[in-house]
Amino acid sequence: MSIKLFYLSGEPSSTAREIELEATLDYDGLRHLIAAHFAIVEPNGIGFQSQDAILSDVAEVLANEDPISITIDGKPVREIPGPKGLPIVGNFFEIYPDHLGNHQRLFEQYGPIIKTTNMGRTVYQTNDPQLSSIIFSETDFFTKKINEAHPLHAIKNQQAGVFLGDTDTPEWRAAHKFLPPALGPKAVRHYAPTMQQTVEDAFKVFDHFDENGEAWNVYQYMLKLGSQAVGKLVLGIDFNHFSSPDAPPHELIQIIAESLSLNKKVTARGDWYAKLPFGDPQRLRNMRYRIFDIVDQSIQNASRGGVEDLPLQDAALKASNMIDYAVRATDNKGEKLPKTSLIQSLVVATGAGFTTTSSLLSWLIYSLVTYPGVQDRLLQELIDNDITEDTQITADLTDRLTFMDKVIKETQRRHNPSYQPARTAKVDMILPGGYKLPEESVVVGALHHLHNNPEVWSNPARFDPDRWDTEEVKNRHKAAYIPFATGPRMCIGFNFALQEVKVFLPKLVYRYKFIKENDGPIEYDPMFQLIRPNNLYVRAERRVKWPPKSEFAATRASL
Ligand code: HEM
């Protein structure tokens, strides 16, 4: 056993600490020991130096008599960089309104992790796969804890468990045990016919616009379509969004949207304001009661006629929607998800489900009308796979539509709808690259910038579905492409979302040729939690003829 002095390179040598080293320690063990003492997240990046000489094995460390400095990835430790900012507003005007463009610029200027302050709230963002994978991992270093600096703070709802609650809570554990089985790959396969019916119900509205030569706002109608599917399959409610061309969004969709923005307003003014028995706080409470009533009614409808209790996986395969599932699903102790959790978590899943899928559907239509050749290649793939107006789309069939899969991936890479999944530091720590991060800091895995990082993607601004066949992309870091985030708090609805778009897209592309109506830049709402194309208008022209099968497909069929 010997005792050596270690300090972090970049800090004064007077901060050196005495650390006992066992004689049997190997280099790897030494790195882990030092990592534990100094809260260094990635032990493999640790190096040792003494008076500028590199100590490359344990023997050299043991033989050294001076304080030993610890380098991280060959660098000294340092503060996370970022622009200076103004008093009170901080970096607000440097970031908004075009936060996507401006964050991209800041990453180019400052590197893979940046610090910005907006109106007194400090947030860190990263566009780096390794750092993203670390923050999303739920470890001794990071967790989803929605503190005051967290982007979801204004709408935090611990009772919901999922999405709007912290990880380390009984509510999250319960919701996270009960909900995911109903959204697993096998479970969502049996939702395909309902998904297909949903898009087919919308045809009469799109046909009506075509017959009248009218263009329509893509996001508004994809919002109706996306929420119609989520309404049916999560809550068992038919929102009737396509009963006429101007059918308004269902009351529940309107209240969820309104209460999200009202909640932001009410919570921003503090606890005393939220308790006022009149005005916006009272309106918000009334909305919550109304949401509760609507979902409760749906639960009563599902329970009517009696339901059998089933283990989670069986319930998931039999249920016609998630409420139907949740009233039957029983865990191995014979327990069910308590009713309050059930209602709150399903309302949150509904909100999380329809806002995101409608944005993705909108961006998919944007890709069809913007990038040359995409729509034609997609149609050709449908023809080559014998898809017609009458085809029942199944998961087995969509598995064969490989070009469609690449278009969806490339659209989610270039135009990712969700942009602020964030995690909170549990302790002061040293990140790879030597960056010092204080406890309680909130780090956003900036999905758009991760997916468009030139260090990771060649020519990232180019929309190129075929890049998904290249070795470069196949061998990418596992966190280089994470549209649904990653780790234990990642999206639980991703199978549902992908299957939905894979059912909708063939049906839409087979029936219509989409044409962009408006010129000029497509804008997004910088203050909204999701990125969606607000001002995209298209015409959907009903197809009257289709191309023949490609030669390759015809030859394959004759073999
Ligand atoms: C294109 C569609 C979708 C995208 C891009 C998406 C994206 C995401 C992301 C990035 C997160 C992590 C949020 C965070 O870390 O703060 C998340 C969580 C979540 N998503 Fe999705 N999502 C989609 C569709 C859906 C659907 C269809 C559902 C349900 C039917 C759903 C339900 C949820 C839930 C409940 C969570 C929270 C999980 C937890 O807290 O443990 N999502 N989603």
Side-chain angles (χ1 to χ4, degrees):
M1 173 95 63
S2 59
I3 295 177
K4 295 282 157 195
L5 280 170
F6 291 90
Y7 68 99
L8 291 163
S9 169
E11 313 247 287
S13 57
S14 56
T15 60
R17 301 183 202 171
E18 285 186 344
I19 296 179
E20 285 182 13
L21 307 182
E22 304 260 352
T24 52
L25 205 62
D26 62 9
Y27 193 60
D28 212 30
L30 175 63
R31 280 169 150 179
H32 278 84
L33 181 72
I34 295 300
H37 273 275
F38 289 89
I40 297 167
V41 177
E42 188 43 83
N44 290 341
I46 293 177
F48 302 101
Q49 284 186 8
S50 176
Q51 299 186 349
D52 291 340
I54 293 177
L55 311 174
S56 48
D57 57 31
V58 178
E60 285 180 7
V61 169
L62 290 176
N64 186 72
E65 294 304 328
D66 297 320
I68 300 168
S69 73
I70 305 160
T71 57
I72 312 291
D73 297 325
K75 299 185 179 76
V77 297
R78 50 195 159 148
E79 301 296 331
I80 294 174
K84 238 175 160 308
L86 300 166
I88 302 170
V89 294
N91 306 113
F92 186 85
F93 293 109
E94 204 153 352
I95 293 172
Y96 291 100
D98 178 22
H99 60 78
L100 291 184
N102 285 321
H103 279 127
Q104 190 76 15
R105 178 177 53 77
L106 294 175
F107 282 122
E108 275 161 29
Q109 191 175 350
Y110 293 102
I113 181 160
I114 53 179
K115 174 183 177 180
T116 55
T117 301
N118 275 325
M119 307 290 180
R121 298 251 155 94
T122 296
V123 168
Y124 299 83
Q125 308 229 4
T126 180
N127 70 347
D128 179 77
Q130 188 195 7
L131 291 175
S132 301
S133 150
I134 290 170
I135 68 157
F136 285 124
S137 290
E138 294 284 336
T139 55
D140 290 344
F141 293 104
F142 284 99
T143 186
K144 182 161 176 177
K145 175 182 174 195
I146 304 177
N147 65 11
E148 286 207 337
H150 195 285
L152 294 175
H153 183 252
I155 51 173
K156 183 169 182 173
N157 174 359
Q158 198 54 62
Q159 270 191 330
V162 284
F163 212 106
L164 303 181
D166 298 344
T167 306
D168 197 11
T169 60
E171 291 91 343
W172 178 75
R173 282 189 285 276
H176 202 256
K177 174 164 70 175
F178 279 92
L179 299 192
L183 293 164
K186 274 203 197 138
V188 301
R189 279 177 175 237
H190 87 283
Y191 292 156
T194 308
M195 289 173 172
Q196 175 155 335
Q197 191 56 52
T198 305
V199 68
E200 286 174 350
D201 287 346
F203 287 167
K204 59 179 181 300
V205 167
F206 299 140
D207 288 354
H208 165 90
F209 288 132
D210 180 33
E211 282 150 20
N212 292 290
E214 280 179 58
W216 40 273
N217 180 298
V218 171
Y219 180 72
Q220 295 307 329
Y221 282 86
M222 290 304 112
L223 177 67
K224 287 193 196 184
L225 188 58
S227 53
Q228 176 86 4
V230 170
K232 274 189 196 168
L233 288 168
V234 175
L235 301 176
I237 303 177
D238 187 342
F239 289 156
N240 284 317
H241 281 166
F242 293 91
S243 52
S244 75
D246 302 321
H250 185 270
E251 183 193 359
L252 188 65
I253 298 300
Q254 292 187 34
I255 311 181
I256 291 180
E258 209 184 318
S259 64
L260 279 180
S261 59
L262 206 56
N263 203 355
K264 213 166 182 172
K265 202 163 141 193
V266 170
T267 49
R269 296 190 187 173
D271 286 353
W272 66 271
Y273 182 73
K275 291 194 183 103
L276 287 184
F278 51 79
D280 283 346
Q282 184 57 34
R283 230 154 58 83
L284 188 58
R285 275 190 293 275
N286 291 343
M287 282 180 184
R288 287 198 183 129
Y289 297 141
R290 183 68 191 128
I291 293 174
F292 209 87
D293 275 355
I294 296 174
V295 179
D296 191 28
Q297 186 60 48
S298 189
I299 292 176
Q300 285 174 28
N301 292 344
S303 317
R304 202 162 292 144
V307 286
E308 43 170 353
D309 285 356
L310 288 171
L312 305 184
Q313 300 296 343
D314 294 348
L317 295 180
K318 287 201 176 162
S320 51
N321 56 62
M322 282 181 74
I323 286 208
D324 181 27
Y325 157 82
V327 292
R328 301 183 198 199
T330 312
D331 71 8
N332 49 13
K333 291 189 202 127
E335 283 170 11
K336 294 185 177 226
L337 188 59
K339 192 167 172 187
T340 314
S341 277
L342 169 66
I343 295 184
Q344 301 274 11
S345 59
L346 287 182
V347 169
V348 169
T350 304
F354 80 77
T355 45
T356 46
T357 45
S358 51
S359 302
L360 174 57
L361 284 165
S362 305
W363 286 118
L364 283 166
I365 294 186
Y366 172 87
S367 295
L368 296 182
V369 298
T370 306
Y371 301 116
V374 169
Q375 192 164 186
D376 290 346
R377 270 180 82 182
L378 211 47
L379 180 64
Q380 190 65 56
E381 184 171 66
L382 304 181
I383 306 290
D384 288 352
N385 281 281
D386 301 313
I387 290 174
T388 68
E389 189 102 56
D390 303 322
T391 305
Q392 191 65 45
I393 309 278
T394 60
D396 287 338
L397 177 53
T398 59
D399 284 349
R400 298 210 300 271
L401 305 179
T402 50
F403 182 67
M404 177 171 78
D405 184 59
K406 293 189 292 181
V407 169
I408 294 168
K409 286 199 176 97
E410 188 66 348
T411 301
Q412 286 201 287
R413 184 190 70 78
R414 249 334 256 144
H415 307 287
N416 194 79
S418 48
Y419 86 106
Q420 283 191 327
R423 300 293 181 266
T424 304
K426 286 168 136 177
V427 289
D428 291 346
M429 71 184 89
I430 310 289
L431 289 166
Y435 297 107
K436 294 198 279 184
L437 185 74
E439 186 181 345
E440 289 293 313
S441 301
V442 170
V443 188
V444 172
L447 302 187
H448 173 81
H449 303 95
L450 193 58
H451 295 175
N452 288 277
N453 181 344
E455 303 281 323
V456 179
W457 304 90
S458 54
N459 204 351
R462 188 176 139 84
F463 184 89
D464 177 12
D466 294 319
R467 73 167 75 235
W468 293 90
D469 291 329
T470 61
E471 287 307 304
E472 180 190 83
V473 170
K474 284 183 187 161
N475 297 330
R476 69 188 185 276
H477 189 289
K478 65 179 177 8
Y481 173 73
I482 46 169
F484 299 101
T486 179
R489 297 301 303 267
M490 75 173 283
C491 182
I492 58 170
F494 76 100
N495 293 300
F496 183 107
L498 289 176
Q499 172 153 313
E500 179 184 305
V501 297
K502 287 180 176 183
V503 171
F504 286 4
L505 205 54
K507 285 284 151 191
L508 289 169
V509 170
Y510 188 85
R511 192 176 175 93
Y512 303 105
K513 180 181 168 69
F514 289 91
I515 301 160
K516 189 172 174 212
E517 183 72 4
N518 54 326
D519 259 347
I522 296 302
E523 284 156 12
Y524 66 94
D525 175 356
M527 292 303 168
F528 196 67
Q529 292 270 355
L530 289 129
I531 318 285
R532 49 194 180 161
N534 279 347
N535 60 335
L536 174 65
Y537 285 83
V538 296
R539 271 185 306 119
E541 266 179 15
R542 183 98 189 254
R543 291 186 195 275
V544 287
K545 57 179 193 219
W546 288 263
K549 258 191 182 182
S550 66
E551 263 178 43
F552 173 70
T555 324
R556 199 183 48 192
S558 69
L559 287 177

